[in-house]
Structure formats: C-alpha cells, structure tokens
Amino acid sequence: QLVVEQFYDRLKMNKELRDLDFKKNLIAKRDLIDAAKALENESDIIAAFKKLQVLHEKWRDLGPVAKELREDIWNEFKDASTVINKRHQEFFEGKKEEERVNEEAKTKICEEIEAIDLDSIKSFPAWDEATKAIMDMQERWKTLGFASRKVNNQLFMRFRKSCDDFFARKAEYFKKTKEDFAANLEKKIALCEKA
C-alpha cells in the first residue's frame, strides 16, 4: 500500500513537473513567435533573415508543449517565418533583376566603345571628340552597380581593354603625327637654309 501511494505521489509530481515544463516551453515559444513577428518591421531584410535563423535554432532547443497545442503553435511560428523568408526571397530576386539590368547596360557600353572605328579617326579634333565620348562612357560605367558575380569581372576586363586599346591608338596617332610634324619642320628649315 505504501509503495503504491509513493508511486502515485511520484506520478502526480511527475505530471505536475511535466505540465510546468510544458507551460514554460509555451511561454518561451510564444516569445519566439512575437520576436519572429517583430522581424516583419525590420528594414534590413538580410539582418532579419539571420535573426530568424537564430530564432529557429532556439525553437529547436526548446522542449515540447502540451500535445493539443503543438501543431497550432508551430503553424503560428511557421507563418511568421514565411513572411520573412518571402521578403528575403523577393529581395534577392530584385537584386538579380538589378544585376541583369546592370549587365545589359555594361555590355551596351562595351559594344559602343568597340563600335568606334579607330582607323577612320584622322585628325586631332576627331580624336578629341572620340575621347570625350569615351570619357562620357567611363562616367556612365561608374554610375552603374554590379552585374552578377560570374560576369562582372569579365565585363570590367572587356571595358578596360576597350578603353586601353582606344588610348593606345590615340597615343600612337599623336606620336606619329608629332614625328611627321618634326620631319616636316626639318625639311622646311633645310629649304629655308638652302634658300
């Protein structure tokens, strides 16, 4: 009889402790749900997403709640998480679209530079005009954001090479023209001396 009474006392105590545990876990999980819902107002979606991951880790570390509440409380937390995850996904989709637009704009600038017919430029004013156009394209390039990682460096190398080729050809033209001028000057001086 004594052992049976002790058994039921312990069983009752165990049930009370388990109910207390369930109650504490429920309060802690409600706090996590409130914290997850508060992340909806966070302006920095990346930071909000990282904080949500921490909340999920804490959720996993907490013990269970009463059986009849488990599904409802999980669904409430999951719904709050879905809002943040959706904003996070939309942010990166927007970023991808922005990178695509930047890639198109950078490609267009590269094509504009490459379309300049360097062989047709035969005078100082024409070179000055082309230089202004190149400088304008360089300024436009600086205003653009990044393209996707896999093409951004390639586009920059293409842009840099096109600009370098242009300025190398310009320097070559100016050097050759100055040499021609110097040779013509020597010929004229020789004619003057002969005269």
Side-chain angles (χ1 to χ4, degrees), residues 86-98:
K86 192 172 183 182
R87 280 184 59 209
H88 187 255
Q89 183 179 358
E90 288 169 356
F91 172 79
F92 277 101
E93 285 171 0
K95 192 171 173 113
K96 280 182 184 174
E97 177 59 22
E98 185 181 313

Side-chain angles (χ1 to χ4, degrees), residues 98-130:
E98 185 181 313
E99 288 175 348
R100 188 191 62 74
V101 168
N102 289 339
E103 181 180 337
E104 286 178 7
K106 287 181 173 188
T107 301
K108 188 177 177 201
I109 290 174
C110 289
E111 289 168 354
E112 284 179 47
I113 295 174
E114 292 163 355
I116 297 173
D117 182 12
L118 300 178
D119 295 328
S120 68
I121 304 175
K122 303 276 186 207
S123 67
F124 287 124
W127 277 105
D128 287 341
E129 192 176 313

Side-chain angles (χ1 to χ4, degrees), residues 60-73:
R60 282 189 294 271
D61 291 343
L62 283 174
V65 296
K67 199 170 197 174
E68 64 274 7
L69 297 174
R70 285 180 192 161
E71 193 172 328
D72 290 340
I73 198 147

Side-chain angles (χ1 to χ4, degrees), residues 34-84:
D34 292 342
K37 286 180 179 178
L39 292 176
E40 293 177 28
N41 301 323
E42 180 106 17
S43 58
D44 182 358
I45 189 61
I46 304 296
F49 183 77
K50 287 179 181 175
K51 289 176 184 175
L52 181 66
Q53 302 315 306
V54 172
L55 293 178
H56 272 271
E57 285 177 30
K58 289 180 180 178
W59 184 277
R60 282 189 294 271
D61 291 343
L62 283 174
V65 296
K67 199 170 197 174
E68 64 274 7
L69 297 174
R70 285 180 192 161
E71 193 172 328
D72 290 340
I73 198 147
W74 167 247
N75 285 335
E76 196 175 341
F77 184 66
K78 188 172 72 171
D79 291 344
S81 297
T82 301
V83 172
I84 303 303

